[in-house]
mmCIF file of all heavy atoms in Angstrom:
data_model
loop_
_atom_site.group_PDB
_atom_site.id
_atom_site.type_symbol
_atom_site.label_atom_id
_atom_site.label_comp_id
_atom_site.label_asym_id
_atom_site.label_seq_id
_atom_site.Cartn_x
_atom_site.Cartn_y
_atom_site.Cartn_z
ATOM 1 N N GLU O 226 -6.845 22.260 -9.312
ATOM 2 C CA GLU O 226 -8.268 22.367 -8.902
ATOM 3 C C GLU O 226 -8.920 23.582 -9.484
ATOM 4 O O GLU O 226 -10.136 23.576 -9.752
ATOM 5 C CB GLU O 226 -8.346 22.352 -7.382
ATOM 6 C CG GLU O 226 -7.670 21.229 -6.652
ATOM 7 C CD GLU O 226 -8.156 19.803 -7.048
ATOM 8 O OE1 GLU O 226 -8.692 19.595 -8.159
ATOM 9 O OE2 GLU O 226 -7.960 18.908 -6.224
ATOM 10 N N ARG O 227 -8.175 24.652 -9.742
ATOM 11 C CA ARG O 227 -8.727 25.824 -10.511
ATOM 12 C C ARG O 227 -9.133 25.347 -11.897
ATOM 13 O O ARG O 227 -10.248 25.650 -12.367
ATOM 14 C CB ARG O 227 -7.668 26.901 -10.695
ATOM 15 C CG ARG O 227 -7.414 27.810 -9.578
ATOM 16 C CD ARG O 227 -8.387 28.992 -9.439
ATOM 17 N NE ARG O 227 -9.716 28.594 -9.089
ATOM 18 C CZ ARG O 227 -10.772 28.729 -9.826
ATOM 19 N NH1 ARG O 227 -10.666 29.370 -11.011
ATOM 20 N NH2 ARG O 227 -11.958 28.353 -9.476
ATOM 21 N N ILE O 228 -8.326 24.531 -12.547
ATOM 22 C CA ILE O 228 -8.643 24.067 -13.857
ATOM 23 C C ILE O 228 -9.855 23.082 -13.774
ATOM 24 O O ILE O 228 -10.763 23.159 -14.585
ATOM 25 C CB ILE O 228 -7.451 23.354 -14.501
ATOM 26 C CG1 ILE O 228 -6.359 24.382 -14.851
ATOM 27 C CG2 ILE O 228 -7.854 22.547 -15.780
ATOM 28 C CD1 ILE O 228 -5.052 23.773 -15.257
ATOM 29 N N ALA O 229 -9.797 22.186 -12.782
ATOM 30 C CA ALA O 229 -10.910 21.252 -12.634
ATOM 31 C C ALA O 229 -12.201 21.973 -12.396
ATOM 32 O O ALA O 229 -13.287 21.605 -12.972
ATOM 33 C CB ALA O 229 -10.598 20.293 -11.448
ATOM 34 N N ALA O 230 -12.207 23.015 -11.560
ATOM 35 C CA ALA O 230 -13.411 23.783 -11.293
ATOM 36 C C ALA O 230 -13.891 24.504 -12.546
ATOM 37 O O ALA O 230 -15.120 24.575 -12.776
ATOM 38 C CB ALA O 230 -13.129 24.766 -10.163
ATOM 39 N N THR O 231 -13.004 25.046 -13.320
ATOM 40 C CA THR O 231 -13.372 25.768 -14.514
ATOM 41 C C THR O 231 -14.002 24.835 -15.545
ATOM 42 O O THR O 231 -15.014 25.129 -16.136
ATOM 43 C CB THR O 231 -12.135 26.438 -15.158
ATOM 44 O OG1 THR O 231 -11.551 27.332 -14.218
ATOM 45 C CG2 THR O 231 -12.470 27.205 -16.401
ATOM 46 N N GLU O 232 -13.395 23.634 -15.691
ATOM 47 C CA GLU O 232 -13.975 22.664 -16.611
ATOM 48 C C GLU O 232 -15.315 22.102 -16.114
ATOM 49 O O GLU O 232 -16.277 21.996 -16.859
ATOM 50 C CB GLU O 232 -12.999 21.539 -16.877
ATOM 51 C CG GLU O 232 -11.735 21.925 -17.604
ATOM 52 C CD GLU O 232 -10.809 20.778 -17.902
ATOM 53 O OE1 GLU O 232 -11.042 19.660 -17.374
ATOM 54 O OE2 GLU O 232 -9.873 20.949 -18.723
ATOM 55 N N ALA O 233 -15.308 21.744 -14.851
ATOM 56 C CA ALA O 233 -16.556 21.151 -14.343
ATOM 57 C C ALA O 233 -17.729 22.103 -14.301
ATOM 58 O O ALA O 233 -18.869 21.761 -14.664
ATOM 59 C CB ALA O 233 -16.318 20.625 -12.916
ATOM 60 N N SER O 234 -17.474 23.356 -13.929
ATOM 61 C CA SER O 234 -18.573 24.344 -13.852
ATOM 62 C C SER O 234 -19.088 24.637 -15.300
ATOM 63 O O SER O 234 -20.257 24.917 -15.489
ATOM 64 C CB SER O 234 -18.069 25.625 -13.268
ATOM 65 O OG SER O 234 -17.025 26.225 -13.994
ATOM 66 N N ALA O 235 -18.204 24.509 -16.308
ATOM 67 C CA ALA O 235 -18.659 24.649 -17.680
ATOM 68 C C ALA O 235 -19.578 23.528 -18.136
ATOM 69 O O ALA O 235 -20.272 23.677 -19.101
ATOM 70 C CB ALA O 235 -17.433 24.721 -18.576
ATOM 71 N N TYR O 236 -19.542 22.439 -17.430
ATOM 72 C CA TYR O 236 -20.429 21.304 -17.685
ATOM 73 C C TYR O 236 -21.665 21.307 -16.760
ATOM 74 O O TYR O 236 -22.336 20.315 -16.672
ATOM 75 C CB TYR O 236 -19.675 19.983 -17.547
ATOM 76 C CG TYR O 236 -18.929 19.590 -18.803
ATOM 77 C CD1 TYR O 236 -17.702 20.285 -19.123
ATOM 78 C CD2 TYR O 236 -19.325 18.575 -19.633
ATOM 79 C CE1 TYR O 236 -16.976 19.861 -20.262
ATOM 80 C CE2 TYR O 236 -18.619 18.222 -20.749
ATOM 81 C CZ TYR O 236 -17.440 18.881 -21.056
ATOM 82 O OH TYR O 236 -16.740 18.492 -22.211
ATOM 83 N N GLY O 237 -21.917 22.444 -16.132
ATOM 84 C CA GLY O 237 -23.124 22.597 -15.328
ATOM 85 C C GLY O 237 -22.992 22.101 -13.912
ATOM 86 O O GLY O 237 -24.003 22.037 -13.192
ATOM 87 N N ILE O 238 -21.798 21.755 -13.438
ATOM 88 C CA ILE O 238 -21.634 21.240 -12.099
ATOM 89 C C ILE O 238 -21.399 22.356 -11.142
ATOM 90 O O ILE O 238 -20.625 23.300 -11.372
ATOM 91 C CB ILE O 238 -20.465 20.253 -12.097
ATOM 92 C CG1 ILE O 238 -20.775 19.001 -12.958
ATOM 93 C CG2 ILE O 238 -20.111 19.793 -10.694
ATOM 94 C CD1 ILE O 238 -19.610 18.151 -13.283
ATOM 95 N N HIS O 239 -22.059 22.265 -9.947
ATOM 96 C CA HIS O 239 -21.950 23.328 -8.932
ATOM 97 C C HIS O 239 -21.048 22.914 -7.770
ATOM 98 O O HIS O 239 -20.612 23.773 -7.003
ATOM 99 C CB HIS O 239 -23.312 23.612 -8.330
ATOM 100 C CG HIS O 239 -24.389 23.945 -9.309
ATOM 101 N ND1 HIS O 239 -25.691 23.488 -9.196
ATOM 102 C CD2 HIS O 239 -24.339 24.711 -10.423
ATOM 103 C CE1 HIS O 239 -26.401 23.897 -10.205
ATOM 104 N NE2 HIS O 239 -25.624 24.679 -10.994
ATOM 105 N N TRP O 240 -20.810 21.588 -7.637
ATOM 106 C CA TRP O 240 -20.307 21.113 -6.329
ATOM 107 C C TRP O 240 -19.517 19.854 -6.584
ATOM 108 O O TRP O 240 -19.899 18.957 -7.249
ATOM 109 C CB TRP O 240 -21.537 20.864 -5.463
ATOM 110 C CG TRP O 240 -21.398 20.249 -4.138
ATOM 111 C CD1 TRP O 240 -20.285 20.215 -3.314
ATOM 112 C CD2 TRP O 240 -22.470 19.599 -3.374
ATOM 113 N NE1 TRP O 240 -20.609 19.604 -2.135
ATOM 114 C CE2 TRP O 240 -21.912 19.223 -2.149
ATOM 115 C CE3 TRP O 240 -23.772 19.346 -3.640
ATOM 116 C CZ2 TRP O 240 -22.639 18.578 -1.170
ATOM 117 C CZ3 TRP O 240 -24.526 18.647 -2.690
ATOM 118 C CH2 TRP O 240 -23.970 18.345 -1.459
ATOM 119 N N THR O 241 -18.329 19.785 -5.988
ATOM 120 C CA THR O 241 -17.522 18.597 -6.045
ATOM 121 C C THR O 241 -17.414 17.942 -4.693
ATOM 122 O O THR O 241 -17.384 18.637 -3.696
ATOM 123 C CB THR O 241 -16.045 18.879 -6.535
ATOM 124 O OG1 THR O 241 -15.334 17.640 -6.520
ATOM 125 C CG2 THR O 241 -15.355 19.904 -5.692
ATOM 126 N N PHE O 242 -17.407 16.631 -4.650
ATOM 127 C CA PHE O 242 -17.184 15.890 -3.411
ATOM 128 C C PHE O 242 -15.690 15.680 -3.218
ATOM 129 O O PHE O 242 -15.196 14.565 -3.199
ATOM 130 C CB PHE O 242 -17.979 14.560 -3.463
ATOM 131 C CG PHE O 242 -19.395 14.779 -3.757
ATOM 132 C CD1 PHE O 242 -20.052 14.222 -4.851
ATOM 133 C CD2 PHE O 242 -20.241 15.541 -2.910
ATOM 134 C CE1 PHE O 242 -21.381 14.437 -5.146
ATOM 135 C CE2 PHE O 242 -21.563 15.783 -3.207
ATOM 136 C CZ PHE O 242 -22.158 15.178 -4.332
ATOM 137 N N ALA O 243 -14.996 16.730 -3.046
ATOM 138 C CA ALA O 243 -13.578 16.748 -2.832
ATOM 139 C C ALA O 243 -13.237 18.135 -2.168
ATOM 140 O O ALA O 243 -13.986 19.107 -2.281
ATOM 141 C CB ALA O 243 -12.829 16.628 -4.171
ATOM 142 N N PRO O 244 -12.146 18.174 -1.406
ATOM 143 C CA PRO O 244 -11.098 17.208 -1.302
ATOM 144 C C PRO O 244 -11.240 16.143 -0.224
ATOM 145 O O PRO O 244 -11.971 16.449 0.808
ATOM 146 C CB PRO O 244 -9.821 18.034 -0.973
ATOM 147 C CG PRO O 244 -10.406 19.149 -0.132
ATOM 148 C CD PRO O 244 -11.749 19.441 -0.732
ATOM 149 N N MET O 245 -10.711 14.971 -0.432
ATOM 150 C CA MET O 245 -10.637 14.017 0.668
ATOM 151 C C MET O 245 -9.426 14.361 1.495
ATOM 152 O O MET O 245 -8.295 14.337 0.991
ATOM 153 C CB MET O 245 -10.488 12.582 0.103
ATOM 154 C CG MET O 245 -10.616 11.556 1.220
ATOM 155 S SD MET O 245 -10.292 9.854 0.715
ATOM 156 C CE MET O 245 -8.519 9.759 1.154
ATOM 157 N N VAL O 246 -9.625 14.686 2.774
ATOM 158 C CA VAL O 246 -8.541 15.123 3.626
ATOM 159 C C VAL O 246 -8.248 14.116 4.724
ATOM 160 O O VAL O 246 -7.627 14.389 5.751
ATOM 161 C CB VAL O 246 -8.767 16.529 4.245
ATOM 162 C CG1 VAL O 246 -8.819 17.576 3.124
ATOM 163 C CG2 VAL O 246 -10.063 16.544 5.059
ATOM 164 N N ASP O 247 -8.731 12.847 4.496
ATOM 165 C CA ASP O 247 -8.443 11.795 5.477
ATOM 166 C C ASP O 247 -6.974 11.522 5.535
ATOM 167 O O ASP O 247 -6.300 11.365 4.518
ATOM 168 C CB ASP O 247 -9.216 10.479 5.027
ATOM 169 C CG ASP O 247 -10.713 10.645 5.009
ATOM 170 O OD1 ASP O 247 -11.234 11.037 6.072
ATOM 171 O OD2 ASP O 247 -11.324 10.406 4.000
ATOM 172 N N ILE O 248 -6.448 11.360 6.753
ATOM 173 C CA ILE O 248 -5.105 10.919 6.965
ATOM 174 C C ILE O 248 -5.104 9.420 6.882
ATOM 175 O O ILE O 248 -5.900 8.715 7.501
ATOM 176 C CB ILE O 248 -4.548 11.431 8.314
ATOM 177 C CG1 ILE O 248 -4.644 12.885 8.436
ATOM 178 C CG2 ILE O 248 -3.120 10.920 8.545
ATOM 179 C CD1 ILE O 248 -3.905 13.641 7.295
ATOM 180 N N ALA O 249 -4.195 8.848 6.068
ATOM 181 C CA ALA O 249 -4.187 7.382 5.833
ATOM 182 C C ALA O 249 -2.797 6.831 6.054
ATOM 183 O O ALA O 249 -1.865 7.199 5.407
ATOM 184 C CB ALA O 249 -4.625 7.102 4.388
ATOM 185 N N ARG O 250 -2.687 5.901 6.986
ATOM 186 C CA ARG O 250 -1.414 5.269 7.306
ATOM 187 C C ARG O 250 -1.368 3.773 6.911
ATOM 188 O O ARG O 250 -0.365 3.170 7.192
ATOM 189 C CB ARG O 250 -1.200 5.373 8.833
ATOM 190 C CG ARG O 250 -1.035 6.782 9.331
ATOM 191 C CD ARG O 250 -1.035 6.860 10.864
ATOM 192 N NE ARG O 250 -0.535 8.102 11.358
ATOM 193 C CZ ARG O 250 -0.398 8.374 12.668
ATOM 194 N NH1 ARG O 250 -0.799 7.520 13.550
ATOM 195 N NH2 ARG O 250 0.077 9.543 13.051
ATOM 196 N N ASP O 251 -2.403 3.346 6.234
ATOM 197 C CA ASP O 251 -2.452 1.921 5.863
ATOM 198 C C ASP O 251 -2.698 1.831 4.351
ATOM 199 O O ASP O 251 -3.817 2.050 3.880
ATOM 200 C CB ASP O 251 -3.613 1.245 6.635
ATOM 201 C CG ASP O 251 -3.600 -0.220 6.518
ATOM 202 O OD1 ASP O 251 -3.092 -0.761 5.486
ATOM 203 O OD2 ASP O 251 -4.090 -0.937 7.414
ATOM 204 N N PRO O 252 -1.680 1.444 3.571
ATOM 205 C CA PRO O 252 -1.883 1.365 2.087
ATOM 206 C C PRO O 252 -2.731 0.256 1.672
ATOM 207 O O PRO O 252 -3.103 0.184 0.488
ATOM 208 C CB PRO O 252 -0.423 1.174 1.630
ATOM 209 C CG PRO O 252 0.303 0.568 2.744
ATOM 210 C CD PRO O 252 -0.282 1.160 3.987
ATOM 211 N N ARG O 253 -3.141 -0.673 2.548
ATOM 212 C CA ARG O 253 -4.105 -1.670 2.138
ATOM 213 C C ARG O 253 -5.468 -1.021 1.808
ATOM 214 O O ARG O 253 -6.290 -1.540 1.043
ATOM 215 C CB ARG O 253 -4.285 -2.718 3.234
ATOM 216 C CG ARG O 253 -3.091 -3.543 3.466
ATOM 217 C CD ARG O 253 -3.242 -4.439 4.669
ATOM 218 N NE ARG O 253 -3.410 -3.665 5.889
ATOM 219 C CZ ARG O 253 -3.571 -4.224 7.129
ATOM 220 N NH1 ARG O 253 -3.547 -5.588 7.235
ATOM 221 N NH2 ARG O 253 -3.729 -3.466 8.210
ATOM 222 N N TRP O 254 -5.744 0.143 2.434
ATOM 223 C CA TRP O 254 -6.972 0.882 2.170
ATOM 224 C C TRP O 254 -6.886 1.554 0.809
ATOM 225 O O TRP O 254 -6.024 2.378 0.544
ATOM 226 C CB TRP O 254 -7.161 1.954 3.303
ATOM 227 C CG TRP O 254 -8.446 2.662 3.240
ATOM 228 C CD1 TRP O 254 -9.731 2.089 3.180
ATOM 229 C CD2 TRP O 254 -8.616 4.063 3.242
ATOM 230 N NE1 TRP O 254 -10.660 3.068 3.200
ATOM 231 C CE2 TRP O 254 -10.047 4.305 3.225
ATOM 232 C CE3 TRP O 254 -7.776 5.152 3.304
ATOM 233 C CZ2 TRP O 254 -10.629 5.593 3.225
ATOM 234 C CZ3 TRP O 254 -8.333 6.449 3.320
ATOM 235 C CH2 TRP O 254 -9.718 6.627 3.279
ATOM 236 N N GLY O 255 -7.809 1.146 -0.078
ATOM 237 C CA GLY O 255 -7.692 1.626 -1.443
ATOM 238 C C GLY O 255 -7.796 3.078 -1.689
ATOM 239 O O GLY O 255 -7.334 3.649 -2.667
ATOM 240 N N ARG O 256 -8.492 3.781 -0.743
ATOM 241 C CA ARG O 256 -8.718 5.159 -0.932
ATOM 242 C C ARG O 256 -7.555 6.057 -0.571
ATOM 243 O O ARG O 256 -7.671 7.322 -0.573
ATOM 244 C CB ARG O 256 -10.004 5.596 -0.162
ATOM 245 C CG ARG O 256 -11.244 4.935 -0.631
ATOM 246 C CD ARG O 256 -12.534 5.525 -0.181
ATOM 247 N NE ARG O 256 -12.942 6.626 -1.039
ATOM 248 C CZ ARG O 256 -14.157 7.171 -1.077
ATOM 249 N NH1 ARG O 256 -15.117 6.612 -0.309
ATOM 250 N NH2 ARG O 256 -14.488 8.147 -1.879
ATOM 251 N N VAL O 257 -6.425 5.435 -0.191
ATOM 252 C CA VAL O 257 -5.235 6.280 -0.016
ATOM 253 C C VAL O 257 -4.915 7.048 -1.338
ATOM 254 O O VAL O 257 -4.376 8.142 -1.285
ATOM 255 C CB VAL O 257 -3.985 5.476 0.393
ATOM 256 C CG1 VAL O 257 -4.192 4.769 1.703
ATOM 257 C CG2 VAL O 257 -3.595 4.420 -0.685
ATOM 258 N N MET O 258 -5.332 6.497 -2.484
ATOM 259 C CA MET O 258 -5.075 7.182 -3.715
ATOM 260 C C MET O 258 -5.782 8.573 -3.855
ATOM 261 O O MET O 258 -5.400 9.417 -4.636
ATOM 262 C CB MET O 258 -5.456 6.312 -4.930
ATOM 263 C CG MET O 258 -6.996 5.911 -5.040
ATOM 264 S SD MET O 258 -8.187 7.155 -5.539
ATOM 265 C CE MET O 258 -7.604 7.621 -7.095
ATOM 266 N N GLU O 259 -6.810 8.728 -3.044
ATOM 267 C CA GLU O 259 -7.644 9.931 -3.144
ATOM 268 C C GLU O 259 -7.198 11.025 -2.153
ATOM 269 O O GLU O 259 -7.729 12.151 -2.237
ATOM 270 C CB GLU O 259 -9.118 9.511 -2.819
ATOM 271 C CG GLU O 259 -10.152 10.431 -3.295
ATOM 272 C CD GLU O 259 -11.582 9.915 -3.030
ATOM 273 O OE1 GLU O 259 -11.750 8.720 -2.870
ATOM 274 O OE2 GLU O 259 -12.465 10.763 -2.942
ATOM 275 N N GLY O 260 -6.249 10.716 -1.337
ATOM 276 C CA GLY O 260 -5.834 11.717 -0.272
ATOM 277 C C GLY O 260 -4.396 12.173 -0.474
ATOM 278 O O GLY O 260 -3.789 12.036 -1.519
ATOM 279 N N ALA O 261 -3.861 12.689 0.658
ATOM 280 C CA ALA O 261 -2.500 13.251 0.622
ATOM 281 C C ALA O 261 -1.489 12.454 1.422
ATOM 282 O O ALA O 261 -0.408 12.937 1.697
ATOM 283 C CB ALA O 261 -2.495 14.702 1.128
ATOM 284 N N GLY O 262 -1.924 11.256 1.896
ATOM 285 C CA GLY O 262 -0.962 10.431 2.591
ATOM 286 C C GLY O 262 -1.112 10.390 4.090
ATOM 287 O O GLY O 262 -2.191 10.620 4.642
ATOM 288 N N GLU O 263 0.012 10.144 4.755
ATOM 289 C CA GLU O 263 0.009 9.787 6.155
ATOM 290 C C GLU O 263 0.204 10.940 7.140
ATOM 291 O O GLU O 263 -0.007 10.783 8.333
ATOM 292 C CB GLU O 263 1.064 8.757 6.427
ATOM 293 C CG GLU O 263 2.553 9.284 6.407
ATOM 294 C CD GLU O 263 3.528 8.188 6.486
ATOM 295 O OE1 GLU O 263 3.426 7.213 5.792
ATOM 296 O OE2 GLU O 263 4.507 8.354 7.233
ATOM 297 N N ASP O 264 0.639 12.099 6.637
ATOM 298 C CA ASP O 264 1.056 13.185 7.541
ATOM 299 C C ASP O 264 -0.031 14.271 7.744
ATOM 300 O O ASP O 264 -0.550 14.776 6.704
ATOM 301 C CB ASP O 264 2.332 13.833 7.041
ATOM 302 C CG ASP O 264 2.837 14.846 8.053
ATOM 303 O OD1 ASP O 264 3.283 14.440 9.113
ATOM 304 O OD2 ASP O 264 2.786 16.033 7.746
ATOM 305 N N THR O 265 -0.303 14.620 8.963
ATOM 306 C CA THR O 265 -1.377 15.598 9.245
ATOM 307 C C THR O 265 -0.957 16.965 8.766
ATOM 308 O O THR O 265 -1.847 17.698 8.169
ATOM 309 C CB THR O 265 -1.596 15.663 10.792
ATOM 310 O OG1 THR O 265 -1.940 14.374 11.198
ATOM 311 C CG2 THR O 265 -2.700 16.631 11.076
#
């Protein structure tokens, strides 16, 4: 995320809509890919 911030800010971006910290216990939900899994 340090690298992502460095690259993104160099492209004029101030703000990211991340991290997704949702706890997800159902892999049918497609956005499990965006989080850290099932454990709090």
Side-chain angles (χ1 to χ4, degrees):
E226 306 301 23
R227 278 277 66 244
I228 292 171
T231 302
E232 291 184 350
S234 64
Y236 277 74
I238 294 167
H239 308 139
W240 178 19
T241 176
F242 304 120
M245 188 187 95
V246 296
D247 296 304
I248 303 304
R250 294 171 164 180
D251 191 333
R253 293 173 298 181
W254 187 51
R256 298 195 83 163
V257 299
M258 59 75 57
E259 201 177 337
E263 71 187 47
D264 185 69
T265 302

